[in-house]
Amino acid sequence: MALKALIFDFDGLMVDTEQSIFDAYCKIFAEHDAVLPLSTWEGIIGSTGHRDRIFADLEQQIGRAVDRDELRERARREHHGISSQLPAVDGVAAQIMDAQRLGLALGVASSSTVAWVHGHLRRLGLIHHFQSLCTREDVTEVKPDPEIYALAASRLGVEPREAVALEDSPNGIASAKAAGLFCVAIPNPLTANMSLDAADMLVPTLTALSLDDISVRLRD
């Protein structure tokens, strides 16, 4: 089967926004003499609804309720302030250029909001490269549900088996695989110690990824 499309995850894959939001919530936990375990965060990377899960964890640790809205807004402000200065991950531009060399359609499939994804891609001067940008507003269920990858492939006019997903988290990998895509895992510093074995291929960085090799593998 010929490779026809490349679909990027966004957070943690194109821009390392995962670390700043995790750090913001770790800071909030520390202020309450509690600890946010990485194992708790692992289950929510690449998905949504994490704030309710981690606030429940915090309240269980300290034995009382917290003002979730106030803490959520504090974390959001800190996260957005840091993320607005972050560059694209090393290798993103090179992979876009290589995909274009191969004539591949380009898409993004993210559980984040359209404003978040579009805003960063515009800031980085990358948005014009993509024929399709799918975000959580486009689907009823986000990752690990396969809906967003199925939609991304459909919008690019390809079958899921003709597309490759680039992912950095267990939830994202599960979504891509369930939709029928070939999935390459590229861990970020936060997900490097998580189990990414469900991916079809694991490479240490985007710069180590060879689309030519994947194209040959899909044809075999």
Side-chain angles (χ1 to χ4, degrees), residues 2-82:
L3 175 59
K4 295 182 179 179
L6 183 66
I7 303 174
F8 288 76
D9 173 45
F10 181 74
D11 290 288
L13 192 287
M14 299 188 76
V15 181
D16 189 14
T17 56
E18 297 287 5
Q19 190 67 52
S20 59
I21 187 62
F22 178 66
D23 289 346
Y25 277 105
C26 282
K27 182 177 178 180
I28 287 171
F29 269 64
E31 290 171 356
H32 290 81
D33 295 319
V35 175
L36 174 56
L38 184 58
S39 58
T40 298
W41 198 259
E42 177 178 353
I44 57 180
I45 290 180
S47 188
T48 59
H50 61 274
R51 296 162 185 82
D52 288 332
R53 300 185 200 180
I54 64 171
F55 285 136
D57 189 312
L58 175 60
E59 290 170 346
Q60 183 177 24
Q61 288 189 49
I62 66 178
R64 60 181 175 81
V66 297
D67 186 338
R68 296 187 179 191
D69 289 339
E70 189 269 333
L71 296 181
R72 182 183 293 112
E73 179 58 21
R74 280 180 50 197
R76 187 197 69 80
R77 287 198 305 269
E78 183 168 341
H79 171 46
H80 283 220
I82 294 171

Side-chain angles (χ1 to χ4, degrees), residues 5-6 8 95-96 99-100 104-108 129-132 156:
L6 183 66
F8 288 76
Q95 292 302 331
I96 290 172
Q100 292 172 334
L104 305 183
L106 283 166
V108 172
H129 294 297
F130 294 92
Q131 290 81 58
S132 174
L156 292 173

Side-chain angles (χ1 to χ4, degrees), residues 88-101:
V89 169
D90 191 22
V92 169
Q95 292 302 331
I96 290 172
M97 291 178 61
D98 208 30
Q100 292 172 334
R101 174 184 64 83

Side-chain angles (χ1 to χ4, degrees), residues 15-214:
V15 181
D16 189 14
T17 56
E18 297 287 5
Q19 190 67 52
S20 59
I21 187 62
F22 178 66
D23 289 346
Y25 277 105
C26 282
K27 182 177 178 180
I28 287 171
F29 269 64
E31 290 171 356
H32 290 81
D33 295 319
V35 175
L36 174 56
L38 184 58
S39 58
T40 298
W41 198 259
E42 177 178 353
I44 57 180
I45 290 180
S47 188
T48 59
H50 61 274
R51 296 162 185 82
D52 288 332
R53 300 185 200 180
I54 64 171
F55 285 136
D57 189 312
L58 175 60
E59 290 170 346
Q60 183 177 24
Q61 288 189 49
I62 66 178
R64 60 181 175 81
V66 297
D67 186 338
R68 296 187 179 191
D69 289 339
E70 189 269 333
L71 296 181
R72 182 183 293 112
E73 179 58 21
R74 280 180 50 197
R76 187 197 69 80
R77 287 198 305 269
E78 183 168 341
H79 171 46
H80 283 220
I82 294 171
S83 296
S84 66
Q85 306 301 315
L86 293 175
V89 169
D90 191 22
V92 169
Q95 292 302 331
I96 290 172
M97 291 178 61
D98 208 30
Q100 292 172 334
R101 174 184 64 83
L102 293 170
L104 305 183
L106 283 166
V108 172
S110 172
S111 294
S112 290
T113 65
V114 63
W116 178 257
V117 175
H118 284 221
H120 279 290
L121 291 178
R122 288 194 188 97
R123 174 178 67 84
L124 296 167
L126 297 174
I127 196 166
H128 64 283
H129 294 297
F130 294 92
Q131 290 81 58
S132 174
L133 299 172
C134 295
T135 62
R136 72 186 187 198
E137 288 93 343
D138 297 309
V139 294
T140 56
E141 297 291 338
V142 296
K143 304 170 187 179
D145 190 276
E147 183 182 4
I148 198 163
Y149 271 109
L151 177 63
S154 175
R155 285 184 174 179
L156 292 173
V158 302
E159 296 294 327
R161 59 181 179 159
E162 297 173 323
V164 167
L166 304 183
E167 272 290 349
D168 68 328
S169 71
N171 279 328
I173 293 167
S175 173
K177 290 301 300 173
L181 283 74
F182 185 94
C183 185
V184 180
I186 303 107
N188 62 54
L190 200 59
T191 63
N193 294 318
M194 297 179 184
S195 176
L196 305 177
D197 295 342
D200 297 290
M201 182 184 294
L202 175 66
V203 296
T205 64
L206 272 172
T207 57
L209 176 66
S210 169
L211 293 180
D212 286 314
D213 289 347
I214 294 173

